[in-house]
Amino acid sequence: QLQLQESGPGLVKPSETLSLTCTVSGGSINTITYYWGWIRQPPGRGLEYIASIYHSGTTYFNPSLKSRVTISLDTSRNQFSLKLSSVTAADTAVYYCATIPRVGDYLDHWGQGTLVTVSS
Amino acid sequence: DIQMTQSPSTLSASVGDRVTITCRASQSIDRWLAWYQQKPGKAPNLLIYESSILESGAPSRFSGSGSGTEFTLTISSLQPDDFATYYCQQYNRDLTFGGGTKVEIK
């Protein structure tokens, strides 16, 4: 059974870069079956898609965040990562990693989520 | 970008009730719509994709319908485990979510 686990700092200062990693177990990140994605949820609010990446390196981004987002794969560690630059308090959220089946852009496996607070 | 509007934002219901949640898209998304259930402090859980296909393991009391711009999620007989927030998500172009519908105990 595919499992995903987010990790990274829980507190980031304004204007700095948020960095998170998602570790995948129960399957290979090199699979053709899935894209690997990031979604976030500000406290008490709804869900927002951030970005996704395929094993080939093909990437997709939320247009509203694209200029600040980097997404990458580390196949040797079976991980994928998110970097969000120039953060503000508006980037405070629970960040989830998830799988997106190649046959349809819905999200069928999710990590438990990690809260990142942007504050000085 | 495609906007998704859910209604109602909050719904009060009792165990055994039939519950319907609506999701409207700002433009046609064919059948490219998914539904999720989220409980407090937990990640969302996929219930339905492609408008009406029940995800493996999701209870059969959940059903989805619709195409184009109007979609519904129906719970045929509300169970105690179903009190949660439900989100729709379109994937016709990019990925965008509705604002959520909280199903509360009446």
Side-chain angles (χ1 to χ4, degrees):
Chain A
Q1 173 74 340
L2 206 58
Q3 292 187 317
L4 296 88
Q5 178 69 58
E6 305 87 352
S7 59
L11 181 64
V12 181
K13 290 182 168 54
S15 80
E16 295 190 345
T17 296
L18 176 161
S19 296
L20 295 173
T21 296
C22 183
T23 301
V24 178
S25 57
S28 171
I29 203 164
N30 249 331
T31 182
I32 64 170
T33 304
Y34 292 113
Y35 289 81
W36 308 94
W38 290 96
I39 298 90
R40 69 180 183 178
Q41 185 172 35
R45 297 182 63 186
L47 299 159
E48 181 179 37
Y49 165 75
I50 302 171
S52 51
I53 187 167
Y54 196 49
H55 75 94
S56 62
T58 301
T59 53
Y60 298 91
F61 298 94
N62 181 329
S64 68
L65 297 170
K66 183 176 182 177
S67 64
R68 298 195 290 132
V69 172
T70 303
I71 186 170
S72 60
L73 291 171
D74 184 341
T75 54
S76 66
R77 298 186 178 191
N78 224 36
Q79 296 174 335
F80 62 105
S81 297
L82 173 74
K83 293 186 187 299
L84 180 66
S85 64
S86 305
V87 298
T88 69
D91 296 309
T92 293
V94 175
Y95 286 75
Y96 296 100
C97 58
T99 59
I100 303 170
R102 187 165 174 250
V103 296
D105 291 340
Y106 49 89
L107 303 127
D108 63 350
H109 296 89
W110 294 68
Q112 66 185 26
T114 187
L115 175 63
V116 179
T117 301
V118 179
S119 175
S120 54
Chain B
D1 47 326
I2 299 174
Q3 309 298 322
M4 305 302 294
T5 303
Q6 284 184 239
S7 59
S9 55
T10 306
L11 186 160
S12 296
S14 301
V15 172
D17 284 353
R18 181 180 181 88
V19 167
T20 299
I21 298 168
T22 298
C23 181
R24 289 186 173 88
S26 60
Q27 63 189 77
S28 177
I29 58 169
D30 197 353
R31 296 181 59 81
W32 307 123
L33 186 101
W35 290 97
Y36 303 85
Q37 178 193 68
Q38 186 179 34
K39 295 182 179 179
K42 300 294 187 182
N45 183 48
L46 176 68
L47 294 173
I48 286 168
Y49 60 95
E50 207 170 310
S51 177
S52 63
I53 300 175
L54 193 67
E55 170 71 348
S56 175
S60 59
R61 61 183 178 272
F62 291 93
S63 63
S65 65
S67 65
T69 61
E70 187 151 338
F71 300 84
T72 58
L73 173 71
T74 300
I75 309 172
S76 61
S77 178
L78 197 65
Q79 298 302 300
D81 193 48
D82 301 338
F83 293 97
T85 300
Y86 294 83
Y87 292 95
C88 62
Q89 176 236 321
Q90 68 81 20
Y91 51 100
N92 182 68
R93 176 189 285 187
D94 298 326
L95 283 75
T96 51
F97 293 87
T101 296
K102 184 175 183 180
V103 177
E104 296 182 328
I105 300 172
K106 191 171 185 179

